[in-house]
Amino acid sequence: MKSKKTAKNNSKPTYNFFDDVFEVVRLIPKGRVTSYGAIAKYLGTKMSARMVGWAMNAAHGDKKVPAHRVVNRNGLLTGKHHFSPPSAMEAQLKKEGIKVTKDKIQNFSDRFWDPYLEL
DNA sequence: GGTCTGACCGGCG
DNA sequence: ACGCCGGCCAGAC
């Protein structure tokens, strides 16, 4: 939605990817997680999963973007190290009802929320 | 203005 | 089964 960009090209034209990532992550249901590759695939660039993580880097400061709900393909909290306290990520996930052990999401397959399938 | 890195993924050896 | 390499996009030095 939105994606207005005000047709202002001299502001930030290359935020297409980031904006999409933020939106998708923001739409992640509570108690549900997704992977970088899933988002990338939803955007049409499954290869650029790295970029998704990079987008999170800019989003981690935005509380509207639950980066803690985004994990890698292994269901491992790879980005937990980037949080204020790293434990905040799994703590948040646990608060959402997701079991996290050793930085690994339990029942990941069941908790997995694929935007490509949902959206 | 060119080069490297970065919270990944998938394929190949 | 494990390890390494290439690929995509964008930002920082």
Side-chain angles (χ1 to χ4, degrees), chain A residues 32-33 73 75 104-113:
Chain A
R32 209 55 70 118
V33 291
R73 249 289 297 158
K104 176 68 167 33
I105 295 179
Q106 304 303 304
N107 308 325
F108 177 63
S109 303
D110 189 57
R111 295 282 168 175
F112 188 66
W113 180 81

Side-chain angles (χ1 to χ4, degrees), chain A residues 24-112:
Chain A
V24 174
V25 174
R26 205 185 318 174
L27 292 174
I28 297 175
K30 182 180 171 188
R32 209 55 70 118
V33 291
T34 186
S35 62
Y36 304 96
I39 299 171
K41 186 158 77 168
Y42 171 68
L43 298 175
T45 55
K46 62 175 196 208
M47 270 180 172
S48 325
R50 298 171 93 188
M51 216 253 113
V52 180
W54 204 245
M56 288 286 120
N57 192 15
H60 87 76
D62 196 324
K63 57 184 178 184
K64 296 191 305 302
V65 183
H68 59 269
R69 293 184 189 155
V70 185
V71 295
N72 68 341
R73 249 289 297 158
N74 299 315
L76 218 162
L77 284 63
T78 55
K80 68 170 275 176
H81 255 294
H82 289 261
F83 276 69
S84 295
S87 43
M89 188 175 186
E90 57 182 273
Q92 185 69 12
L93 289 170
K94 286 179 183 175
K95 191 162 67 172
E96 306 243 329
I98 301 174
K99 297 192 190 85
V100 181
T101 306
K102 301 194 307 350
D103 309 343
K104 176 68 167 33
I105 295 179
Q106 304 303 304
N107 308 325
F108 177 63
S109 303
D110 189 57
R111 295 282 168 175
F112 188 66

